[in-house]
Structures are given as structure tokens and as C-alpha cells.
Amino acid sequence: MRVAVIGFDSLDPGLVKHWAQTGHLPTFQKLFSKSAWAYVNNPRGFEAGTCWLSMWTGVLPDEHGIHDGFYVFDPREYRVRIARPEEIPEPFWMAASRSGRRLLLVDIPYTFLSPGINGVQLCDWLVHVRSDNERIHCHPATLAGQIARDYGLNPWFTANRCPGNEQDAYSVEGLSSIVDTLSSRAALKTRFCLDMLARAPWDLFFTVFHEGHDVGHMCWHGHDPSHERHDPKLTARVGDPLLSVYQKLDAATAALLDALPPDAAVLVYTSHGIGPERTASRFLDAILARLDANPHPAKSRALADRLVPLYRRVVPAAVRRRIVPTVLGNQAYQWAAFDRRRRRRYFVLNSSYATGGVRFNVKGRDAHGIVEPGAELEQLMREVADGFREMRNADTGEPLVEEITATSDLYQGSMRYLLPDLLLEWNKSHPIDRVSSPKIGEVKNDVVSVRSGDHATSKQGLLFAPVAAGSTGQQPEIHVIDIAPTLLNLLGVSDGLLAGKAIPFLVPGPGARYPHAVETGR
């Protein structure tokens, strides 16, 4: 059996369902009505940061050690860095490759080239975040030149973790340019995939579109009339930017479904959602520094804490903005962060902007640990949790957090030591610009984000699947780690140590066939 997965990064399930019901997304409308579908639960506390890693490794964050995308915390260097490929459990498709299945993989989020892969793999091309700002990565390597010549590179190909952050989303020209760029990217990937499907032999085809992620972050204010930055005059001229991009992705889905062989098993997957940015994660470290009831004496304060205020007073902001992206500026930033963190009892380690994370500097675990494990750590965690329970959004008087969870209450795997220790679920009813409590006074967010959207509301994904026994419609919820073993099951591959289990409504019976269930009418 050949298996195809058409994936979408951060295509909001609520919007997809609503616009399918209203007829704006005709392909997804047919998927809801003519295929089995289910909501997909993501790893609790790490929904936006690790859903893709858990999807393609088949394990939870405490087994792959990633707290957000490509990024892992290094307890020796007290910094967040891009994980090395050998540090991550292998993706499920390597078991398929070893079993002789031919692969066609295009822009699966947060992946590296898999050594010795049997087939074609493309990474870091038209994606939301890249592992390498210098080039795309392909197997075979000659494919890179063909892509540059015949299709083109990512127009947002700059030295930035998320190049969309640099775009103007608040003028007619800027917002229109974002929509046009993302629409052309979706069309470009569709054309490439159609060409490869026609000429490259495959048993597993897996491609992911990232345009929903970019437009959600940058343009939520253009979609949501209740957003504080919404400008009805701007939207009247440009239209709803999210709807425009979602419709292009709906058309891309139809084109790919039409091109797939009728006896292939087809899954359409959306990872997680998007909503208005409501977060204190951006200034959580300043809150934590104020909260610490046992600051180190002035003589032992981190050197960075003494030099940074002087640097900000002496060097103009415009100059600082030019220094930061340079190699020297980045090294200075990394050094200052290391010097500050290693001297603190706890510091920020966000699992995403949707969920705040607190890391404790524990002896025996972290290179310069301060807090004794056991009773001292447990007491300090309680004090920090109590401190956050007292905090309020200073502009509304509402509690700052809805829920505080110890990571150890959720996960016990071998890589848990790399994760944050406390997870803070923000109260997202209003923007969070100022935080106050009797203990910390008031802390203001000095980081103005160009983004208006984040992964604040819908933390589930969606899976649309072919029908084995004639049933259609909504199925029981599944977990993201169940997708990898299900795909191997469909491919007839038993190799691979995965924590999940095959999804019941996708387990084929004797002689079962999986014609994909959507006739697009194109």
C-alpha cells in the first residue's frame, strides 16, 4: 500500500471547520463529510512547541528532549540551541526506509536530512523556521540546484529564526505583500510536489505547508475584529488575510488529492491552531528576576547584570538593533545570558509563547547548580507557584495564570531533565502588558511584538483519514504520537520503537483497501 500525508503547520482547526461549513473551503468541506476525521491531542504543556517532533518520532517530549521546535536546553552551557540530529530519536520514516519503502518527503517541520534515506528528502525550503539560514538541504544533493533554477527559493530567506517577524503587516501594501507571498509559496510547493509525484517512485509521500503558521502569527489582527490592533479600513481594502491564505491551501489540497493514485491511503493532517497573542512569556524572565526572594548580594551579582544597564544607557537603541544580528553581537548576548542564568536559582525556559516555562538551577543536573534537589527544590517550586498565583494582569485585575503544572507530574521519561520544571498556562482573556502582585510590585513588558497572533487557543490538531469499513464522520480523539505507528502499520512495516499505538479506525482488516475518500471535482 502507498501512503500519502498532506500536512499543514498551524492551520487552525476552528477556522478550518467554520470555513468548511460556510463553503469557503470546499475541499475541507468534503473531507469533513466524506472521510473519517478526529481531533488530535498534542503533548500537554508543549502543544505548540513539540507537536511535530512527537508526531514524527512517535514519542513524547520527555523522550525526545525538545521543548520547542528545533530547540533544546543545554544544562552545561545554560543556553538554548538547535538540537543536533543525533540527539533526537529517529523519525518513523527511517524504519520504512530500512524496509525498502521509497520515500518522498518535502518540508516536514523541524527535520534534518536522514542519512542513507531511500528516496527523496527536502528540508528548510518553504518553511516557517529553518535549522540553517544559509541553504536548503536535499537528498539527493543535486536537487537543490534544480529547485533554485526551476522553482525558486523562499522569498523570506533571511538570517532570522522566523523571517515573517520582519514583515510589515500594518499597511495595505505590507499586508497585501504577505498574503501574496504566502499564496505564491503554496502554489510553488504544490507545483513541485505534483512534478515529483509524477516522476519519482514512492511508497510514502509526506509534504507539509507552513503558510498557515506565518499568516496566523503576522496577520491575526487583520482577521479578528476584536483584536486591539484591528483596522477595519485596512481589512476592507485587503480582505481577511487568513481566509485568503487558507483558501489557497484548500486549493493545494484538492490538486494533490487529484494527483494521488486512487488506491493510496491518504491522510490530511493539521498540527495545531492559532489565535490572538496573549502571553507573558516575552517578559517572564523579568518577572522571575523580580520574584526571587533571595537575590545574590551585589558583590556577587552576575557581571552581565552590571554591564547591561550601562550598555543600554550609552549605546543608542538604533545602534543596538544593528549590533544584535552580527556574529559579535550574538556572542555577546549568549555570554551575557549564560553569565546571568548560571548565578540564578531559576530562570525562563518557555515551551512556547502560549505556555510559560520556569527552569530551576539544580545541583547535580545543571553545571552551576544552586538549588539542592529534593526538599529544597520542592519548597522553592511551591514558593514560585504561589508567587504566580498572587500575580494579576495589572490592566484588568484578573489572575495572570489559569494553571500551574509541575512537568514531573506529566512526564517521567529519560529526557525530562532538559525540559522546564514548571509550566504556566496564561490567562489569555486580554493582552498582558503589565503584571503586578504585592511581592513583585509591577513589571512591564518592554518587548513589543510585531506579531498579533500566537498559539493561544486551539491546541489540538485535526486528522482526516481514508475509510476502511465504510464509516465516515467524527471519530474519537487520538494522540499525536499515534500517527507514526499508524503510518508504519499502513506501510506494512513493523520495525521501529514507538510509544504510540495504531489508530483504531485506520487499522486495516484482512483484504482491506483504502481508496481515498474525497472526490474534489476538479
Side-chain angles (χ1 to χ4, degrees), residues 53 56-57 66 69-72 81-91 93-94 105 107-117 121-124 129-132 137-139:
L53 268 292
W56 53 255
T57 62
I66 304 296
F70 283 113
Y71 303 104
V72 64
R81 59 171 173 78
I82 291 178
R84 292 182 286 271
E86 63 271 15
E87 294 176 317
I88 304 173
E90 72 171 20
W93 54 77
M94 287 308 295
L105 312 175
D107 276 347
I108 302 172
Y110 311 117
T111 53
F112 303 93
L113 282 184
S114 300
I117 194 169
Q121 185 179 16
L122 173 58
C123 305
D124 291 334
V129 177
R130 297 183 304 277
S131 67
D132 184 349
H137 296 84
C138 308
H139 177 82

Side-chain angles (χ1 to χ4, degrees), residues 154-464:
N154 193 336
W156 291 341
F157 205 83
T158 57
N160 188 299
R161 283 176 50 180
C162 179
N165 289 351
E166 299 176 342
Q167 311 309 311
D168 167 27
Y170 298 93
S171 68
V172 171
E173 296 77 12
L175 194 59
S176 298
S177 176
I178 290 174
V179 173
D180 291 345
T181 298
L182 294 175
S183 298
S184 64
R185 270 188 13 183
L188 197 64
K189 181 169 291 180
T190 304
R191 180 163 66 89
F192 173 79
C193 288
L194 292 174
D195 291 346
M196 296 300 293
L197 285 170
R199 69 171 185 258
W202 58 273
D203 299 298
L204 171 66
F205 166 61
F206 190 168
T207 188
V208 178
F209 292 84
H210 297 238
E211 286 68 32
H213 203 146
D214 285 321
V215 76
H217 275 312
M218 299 305 301
C219 306
W220 184 263
H221 62 286
H223 158 76
D224 183 358
S226 68
H227 194 275
E228 60 273 13
R229 299 184 198 171
H230 182 74
D231 181 352
K233 294 180 180 178
L234 178 61
T235 305
R237 295 185 62 182
V238 179
D240 186 329
L242 269 71
L243 176 58
S244 296
V245 172
Y246 278 43
Q247 288 180 314
K248 295 298 189 298
L249 296 173
D250 186 85
T253 307
L256 291 176
L257 288 171
D258 280 349
L260 293 168
D263 61 345
V266 180
L267 280 69
V268 178
Y269 168 65
T270 73
S271 59
H272 58 303
I274 200 77
E277 181 171 279
R278 302 283 187 262
T279 181
S281 294
R282 294 188 182 278
F283 63 119
L284 176 56
D285 209 41
I287 297 172
L288 292 173
R290 188 77 66 87
L291 179 64
D292 195 340
N294 184 30
H296 299 291
K299 64 180 181 180
S300 64
R301 282 176 57 206
L303 182 59
D305 292 336
R306 300 197 298 270
L307 293 181
V308 168
L310 177 63
Y311 168 73
R312 288 176 175 168
R313 287 198 302 270
V314 173
V315 181
V319 177
R320 296 201 305 268
R321 284 194 294 270
R322 290 196 294 269
I323 292 174
V324 168
T326 66
V327 173
L328 181 61
N330 184 61
Q331 289 178 341
Y333 174 83
Q334 294 288 352
W335 170 83
F338 164 77
D339 190 54
R340 186 181 301 111
R341 289 171 184 153
R342 70 188 179 92
R343 295 173 181 268
R344 290 175 54 177
R345 297 193 298 170
Y346 46 83
F347 48 84
V348 66
L349 185 62
N350 288 321
S351 60
S352 70
Y353 288 128
T355 304
V358 183
R359 172 90 179 186
F360 290 81
N361 193 5
V362 179
K363 290 182 179 179
R365 183 184 72 175
D366 302 293
H368 299 273
I370 295 173
V371 181
E372 291 284 352
E376 182 180 337
L377 173 61
E378 292 172 4
Q379 176 62 29
L380 186 58
M381 289 179 67
R382 284 194 293 269
E383 291 176 4
V384 172
D386 290 342
F388 275 95
R389 291 188 182 97
E390 294 179 348
M391 294 182 197
R392 296 291 183 268
N393 183 327
D395 293 312
T396 67
E398 294 182 341
L400 176 64
V401 295
E402 292 183 343
E403 188 174 6
I404 303 172
T405 307
T407 310
S408 59
D409 290 341
L410 303 175
Y411 303 104
Q412 295 295 328
S414 61
M415 304 302 287
R416 182 173 60 86
Y417 76 99
L418 296 175
L419 304 177
D421 298 300
L422 279 183
L423 299 171
L424 309 172
E425 187 68 28
W426 305 120
N427 178 348
K428 304 178 181 73
S429 61
H430 293 84
I432 305 172
D433 296 316
R434 297 184 302 132
V435 172
S436 64
S437 79
K439 187 169 186 177
I440 68 170
E442 181 177 293
V443 181
K444 184 179 179 181
N445 179 18
D446 292 326
V447 181
V448 179
S449 173
V450 68
R451 295 178 174 182
S452 58
D454 210 337
H455 312 294
T457 49
S458 178
K459 296 184 177 183
Q460 290 181 306
L462 283 172
L463 182 71
F464 302 89

